[in-house]
Amino acid sequence: MDSDAAASLGALAKYFSLHSYQQGSDGAELNDLYALRYQIYCLECHFLNAARYPDGLEIDDHDQRSAHFSATNAEGVVAGTARLVLPQADLPFPFFDHCPPFPDFEPPPESESGEVSRLAVKREYRRRAGDTLWGINESHLKGPSAPDESPHGEKRVNAPLLVLGLYRQIYRFSCENGIRYWYAAMEKGLARVLKIYGFNFTPIGPESDYYGPVTPYLGDLRRLERELEASNPALLWWFRSGP
């Protein structure tokens, strides 16, 4: 990792606090996360019918079986969120119902698997033309040292770095709870950006319309660690123990 990239990652600790919430956490402490999801998935993107959530909180049946993660800014406002749906007997992971894998796909042990989903970034951190739901822009394919700029020329922490911070929290939770494999239904642009940062996800099914065009992927954390150890040990250190 070059000095610019390291400084960008360090900016996350300067401007954002990263939080993890265990499975079954008190719903009240998750309300700000659910409210951000409602704002994005219901009001901005119209993926879900806002009328189904009169309290302004987007919650589904999978939230109780999930660990939740957030990044808050200096004012305590939730800037991004994601969850890890954990295995539960006789219940498939959510993506299976919307973007099923190839017929010959052989899943890893379910007890060691989880699904990364409900990833969302506040509009304030994805204000440029062409930004997607996750704040991904073609300029982000330049890598971690490329700064974001608002329409007024104000430089901001690169939005994918905010996503990367959420993934770091999910990684630490996974290591502590015996989760080795991550499923994720992602747009191809997000998968490409994550690959730049060292996250190599393998497509396991065709593209489907699931809150927009997405492809189901599988990531192996042990493979991720081996590849980062060889290509970017500083990033691996940041994931494991960095601020």
Side-chain angles (χ1 to χ4, degrees):
M1 185 187 305
D2 60 33
S3 58
D4 288 341
S8 296
L9 289 171
L12 279 172
K14 181 178 179 181
Y15 296 112
F16 296 98
S17 298
L18 300 170
H19 309 277
S20 302
Y21 306 87
Q22 298 291 319
Q23 178 185 11
S25 293
D26 181 0
E29 66 180 333
L30 300 176
N31 282 348
D32 288 345
L33 283 62
Y34 297 147
L36 177 59
R37 285 168 29 178
Y38 173 81
Q39 178 65 34
I40 294 173
Y41 282 84
C42 299
L43 300 185
E44 294 180 17
C45 298
H46 305 289
F47 290 147
L48 299 169
N49 183 357
R52 294 175 53 195
Y53 310 95
D55 57 359
L57 305 176
E58 190 278 298
I59 303 173
D60 70 11
D61 293 339
H62 301 290
D63 283 313
Q64 277 297 311
R65 61 184 283 209
S66 302
H68 297 266
F69 309 88
S70 70
T72 57
N73 63 19
E75 290 74 41
V77 176
V78 175
T81 184
R83 73 180 180 190
L84 182 69
V85 182
L86 299 170
Q88 186 169 326
D90 301 322
L91 283 179
F93 289 109
F95 85 94
F96 276 101
D97 292 332
H98 302 278
C99 40
F102 296 121
D104 60 350
F105 170 67
E106 296 185 6
E110 184 172 292
S111 62
E112 299 178 33
S113 303
E115 180 181 342
V116 180
S117 66
R118 286 302 194 270
L119 176 63
V121 174
K122 192 175 178 65
R123 181 193 290 271
E124 180 181 356
Y125 300 97
R126 49 181 175 84
R127 295 189 300 179
R128 301 194 317 176
D131 277 356
T132 68
L133 174 62
W134 301 290
I136 301 303
N137 195 288
E138 282 298 310
S139 67
H140 297 144
L141 298 176
K142 298 176 183 177
S145 60
D148 271 353
E149 293 187 5
S150 77
H152 305 291
E154 176 189 359
K155 290 188 177 182
R156 293 185 173 272
V157 173
N158 192 317
L161 292 177
L162 180 58
V163 173
L164 199 65
L166 293 169
Y167 269 78
R168 189 192 74 167
Q169 296 303 100
I170 301 172
Y171 168 80
R172 292 185 179 183
F173 175 89
S174 298
C175 291
E176 293 169 359
N177 291 274
I179 301 297
R180 171 175 175 172
Y181 302 96
W182 288 350
Y183 292 108
M186 295 186 286
E187 63 169 21
K188 292 180 179 178
L190 177 58
R192 290 169 63 194
V193 170
L194 289 174
K195 185 174 182 179
I196 289 173
Y197 288 88
F199 280 84
N200 288 303
F201 284 81
T202 301
I204 59 172
E207 186 176 76
S208 303
D209 186 5
Y210 178 34
Y211 304 141
V214 296
T215 299
Y217 291 87
L218 179 67
D220 179 346
L221 297 188
R222 300 296 86 80
R223 173 189 171 191
L224 165 70
E225 292 164 345
R226 291 194 301 270
E227 293 178 349
L228 285 181
E229 185 66 47
S231 66
N232 202 336
L235 182 58
L236 179 60
W237 171 84
W238 185 74
F239 259 73
R240 285 175 166 167
S241 56

